[in-house]
Amino acid sequence: MNEPSLNSVKGSLLYFSPSEQEPSYFTDSLLYICDHGDLGALGLIINRPLDLHLKDLFNSMKIVENSKAEGNVYMGGPVNPGAIFILHSSEKKWDSTMEVSKDISLSTSEDAIQSIANCEGPEKYLMTLGYAGWGVNQLESELIENAWVVIPENKDVIFNPDPSKQMNELSEFVGYDIRMISPDFGNA
């Protein structure tokens, strides 16, 4: 785990400000930053559900037969898309669990996947394939360039099962329509 940097956004939501000049992989993406320190940053996209149900993933992995797990798998980011990352409420922990904040943790181990497949998992969770990663000072540079809007952690937004409502809920939380932000203007 990274040593936290002075300007760490660990535990924050990041919204990618869409630029009319340069479309990006992250356009209209909402990410939760799980780690941010001197060695870089790791986050998960939380508003891109895949056309893949959790129970179908678990059944295809032969973790359990006939899993009753509800919900979709999400595209967590472009790095290592074959790896499973579980963002979840912190009342349950496994050996691989990393506490992101007092309320939210990140797990990657097989026993965590098994618990969710057996419907024994944490109360709230979001499972992704892949993650978004930044090298040393890369995220800091993007933040200076206004590429991202930083928003405090909000469990209701993070674990909202309907991404179409997620952005409206986020906009209500911050007090303005987050989708109207543009990086093409200067700092206030």
Side-chain angles (χ1 to χ4, degrees):
M1 187 154 77
N2 273 328
E3 192 63 36
S5 64
L6 187 59
N7 297 316
S8 177
V9 292
K10 178 180 176 180
S12 297
L13 291 163
L14 297 186
Y15 177 71
F16 188 78
S17 302
S19 174
E20 294 176 12
Q21 288 141 15
E22 296 180 37
S24 164
Y25 177 88
F26 293 104
T27 298
D28 292 326
S29 291
L30 181 62
L31 285 82
Y32 181 71
I33 301 301
C34 301
D35 197 13
H36 183 204
D38 295 338
L39 301 176
L42 178 143
L44 300 174
I45 300 172
I46 62 169
N47 67 333
R48 281 202 199 162
L50 297 169
D51 189 19
L52 176 61
H53 296 281
L54 286 168
K55 62 183 173 187
D56 295 334
L57 174 68
F58 298 142
N59 291 338
S60 73
M61 293 173 65
K62 298 183 177 18
I63 290 179
V64 296
E65 285 190 36
N66 301 319
S67 175
K68 304 286 188 248
E70 295 289 322
N72 279 55
V73 178
Y74 285 69
M75 173 50 68
V79 182
N80 201 1
I84 295 175
F85 294 83
I86 307 164
L87 195 60
H88 59 89
S89 49
S90 292
E91 78 277 358
K92 188 150 185 173
K93 296 190 181 346
W94 298 272
D95 289 340
S96 72
T97 301
M98 177 180 86
E99 187 176 277
V100 180
S101 72
K102 81 174 184 50
D103 295 320
I104 297 179
S105 296
L106 177 70
S107 298
T108 57
S109 62
E110 191 173 327
D111 56 344
I113 297 166
Q114 183 86 38
S115 289
I116 291 173
N118 287 320
C119 299
E120 301 165 350
E123 182 183 338
K124 296 180 178 189
Y125 61 88
L126 185 122
M127 188 171 290
T128 74
L129 296 177
Y131 68 94
W134 293 264
V136 175
N137 295 322
Q138 184 181 1
L139 181 56
E140 289 83 353
S141 295
E142 292 178 13
L143 290 168
I144 289 167
E145 294 169 1
N146 293 325
W148 299 95
V149 177
V150 180
I151 302 152
E153 175 181 293
N154 181 308
K155 293 182 301 192
D156 294 331
V157 171
I158 293 167
F159 296 115
N160 187 326
D162 185 349
S164 66
K165 293 180 181 172
Q166 199 173 34
M167 297 311 291
N168 291 335
E169 190 171 346
L170 181 65
S171 293
E172 285 180 31
F173 175 66
V174 297
Y176 56 89
D177 188 344
I178 194 74
R179 293 161 289 211
M180 299 305 292
I181 298 294
S182 170
D184 299 329
F185 298 98
N187 291 317

